[in-house]
Amino acid sequence: MNKEGHVLNAVLLSIGLGYIIHPSGDVPTFRMIAEVSVPVVLGALFPDVDTAFGKHRKTLHNLPVLAVVYAYPVVFGNLNYVWIGVATHYVLDVVGSKRGIALFYPYSKEYGLPVGVAVSSKWATGVTVAVTGLELAVIAAVVHLDLPFRVQDLTTVVGSLA
């Protein structure tokens, strides 16, 4: 996806997260939207910095980079929610575009699903919105359903390792 698609994904995701976490639509909902929107948008744009150096969809589009960005708030206490933008950037590139990304770079094989569209396609915006809807559905299921595995459980496990 292109820069506009990643920003659209991040903005819609931020709004959706606000309503998933605080569904009442009152001050806490809008506070949550404000809290996550800038970091998620910045995270969504970060992987494409590799267009200025390195190899696009390889250098900053991989799981080690996501691990570093995810660990940053745990280690340094800042950059919360940036990892969400990076992760959703990856999801959009894997699911929404034809090319895919090199998840295990420097191993250069690119992974993607055969359902994506070209970045220049007239369907790119629609695919972006559809992928965002799927992301929000998964997040809502994890947050609100009594699943055997929850994100909070992972956070507890990761925290116990530190």
Side-chain angles (χ1 to χ4, degrees), residues 24-152:
S24 60
D26 55 5
V27 172
T29 304
F30 295 106
R31 180 177 167 79
M32 184 68 184
I33 293 168
E35 185 177 345
V36 301
S37 61
V38 171
V40 171
V41 170
L42 290 174
L45 292 172
F46 175 71
D48 283 342
V49 170
D50 68 6
T51 59
F53 70 91
K55 298 176 181 177
H56 183 55
R57 294 211 179 178
K58 289 181 176 36
T59 307
L60 295 178
H61 286 72
N62 57 68
L63 295 178
V65 168
L66 179 60
V68 168
V69 174
Y70 181 77
Y72 215 87
V74 174
V75 175
F76 297 105
N78 61 9
L79 297 181
N80 296 328
Y81 309 114
V82 171
W83 72 271
I84 295 171
V86 173
T88 59
H89 182 114
Y90 293 178
V91 169
L92 199 56
D93 281 354
V94 168
V95 177
S97 77
K98 285 184 173 185
R99 182 172 164 196
I101 62 175
L103 284 172
F104 303 102
Y105 186 76
Y107 180 62
S108 62
K109 180 176 177 10
E110 293 184 357
Y111 295 90
L113 297 179
V115 296
V117 297
V119 173
S120 59
S121 168
K122 67 179 182 177
W123 303 104
T125 300
V127 169
T128 298
V129 171
V131 170
T132 305
L134 288 171
E135 290 169 335
L136 288 169
V138 168
I139 293 167
V142 168
V143 170
H144 292 295
L145 298 178
D146 191 19
L147 301 174
F149 173 76
R150 295 177 49 133
V151 172
Q152 292 87 348

Side-chain angles (χ1 to χ4, degrees), residues 11-32:
V11 168
L12 294 175
L13 194 67
S14 298
I15 294 167
L17 284 169
Y19 279 95
I20 288 169
I21 304 300
H22 298 288
S24 60
D26 55 5
V27 172
T29 304
F30 295 106
R31 180 177 167 79
M32 184 68 184

